Amino acid sequence: LTVAPGANWPGKIWPVERYAELLNQIRNDFDSVVIVGSKEDISLGERLRSLSPLPTLNIAGSTSLLEAAACLSDSTAFVGNDSGLGHMAAALGVPTVTVFGPGQPDRYKPWGPLASVVLAPNQDLGALVAESVANNLLSHLARISTTVAGVGA
């Protein structure tokens, strides 16, 4: 699983503790986590790495966009805030779940058949619980798996 806990402004950042709760809820479904992001996201990534119940590598701030794309392309799935990395993951055909608080997801969400969005209640990311994101991610992956197998095609 690749996770991007940062964004270009604080109002678009789902709390790191919620990402940790998400990882705890899906720990039996993934083997490891890679954290991506910009140099501004290094401390968020380190905090998440320290809280993660899974083996976690924080490469935030240490990759070029091309290297981040290579990491994303090898991912089983991507979860992140409303940021450019979600668009990149969706463009690479990676199952993507983007967490939206403030903003206009109908206009700015990642596009593609494997992209999904979770909306925070009242556009307040502090009110979004990890269980909602975990359920969305796992059901999204199950739908994709069913479609790929030809059952839902």
Side-chain angles (χ1 to χ4, degrees), residues 99-120:
V99 176
F100 266 88
Q104 301 173 17
D106 289 341
R107 184 172 182 179
Y108 295 113
K109 68 182 177 186
W111 291 94
L114 303 182
S116 177
V117 171
V118 176
L119 303 174

Side-chain angles (χ1 to χ4, degrees), residues 4-14 19 36-42 44 78 80-87 98-104 108 125:
N8 64 350
W9 62 280
K12 293 169 76 174
I13 296 176
W14 193 38
Y19 274 104
V36 295
S38 70
K39 289 180 182 174
E40 289 77 21
D41 303 325
I42 293 171
L44 287 173
F78 170 87
N81 298 317
D82 174 20
S83 72
L85 288 167
H87 294 276
T98 302
V99 176
F100 266 88
Q104 301 173 17
Y108 295 113
L125 285 170

Side-chain angles (χ1 to χ4, degrees), residues 4-150:
N8 64 350
W9 62 280
K12 293 169 76 174
I13 296 176
W14 193 38
V16 169
E17 293 75 17
R18 296 289 168 81
Y19 274 104
E21 291 170 15
L22 166 68
L23 297 179
N24 191 48
Q25 290 185 19
I26 61 173
R27 68 185 178 280
N28 295 325
D29 299 289
F30 292 90
D31 296 325
S32 60
V33 177
V34 175
I35 301 168
V36 295
S38 70
K39 289 180 182 174
E40 289 77 21
D41 303 325
I42 293 171
S43 62
L44 287 173
E46 278 306 300
R47 175 90 173 115
L48 180 55
R49 187 191 58 73
S50 74
L51 297 171
S52 177
L54 292 166
T56 301
L57 176 65
N58 178 18
I59 60 172
S62 65
T63 64
S64 67
L65 278 177
L66 187 57
E67 291 166 333
C71 176
L72 286 167
S73 68
D74 267 350
S75 296
T76 300
F78 170 87
V79 177
N81 298 317
D82 174 20
S83 72
L85 288 167
H87 294 276
M88 186 183 294
L92 290 166
V94 177
T96 302
V97 174
T98 302
V99 176
F100 266 88
Q104 301 173 17
D106 289 341
R107 184 172 182 179
Y108 295 113
K109 68 182 177 186
W111 291 94
L114 303 182
S116 177
V117 171
V118 176
L119 303 174
N122 300 313
Q123 296 187 319
D124 176 10
L125 285 170
L128 181 60
V129 297
E131 184 177 6
S132 295
V133 180
N135 290 341
N136 180 286
L137 173 62
L138 297 177
S139 65
H140 184 53
L141 290 173
R143 278 191 309 272
I144 291 167
S145 176
T146 301
T147 301
V148 169

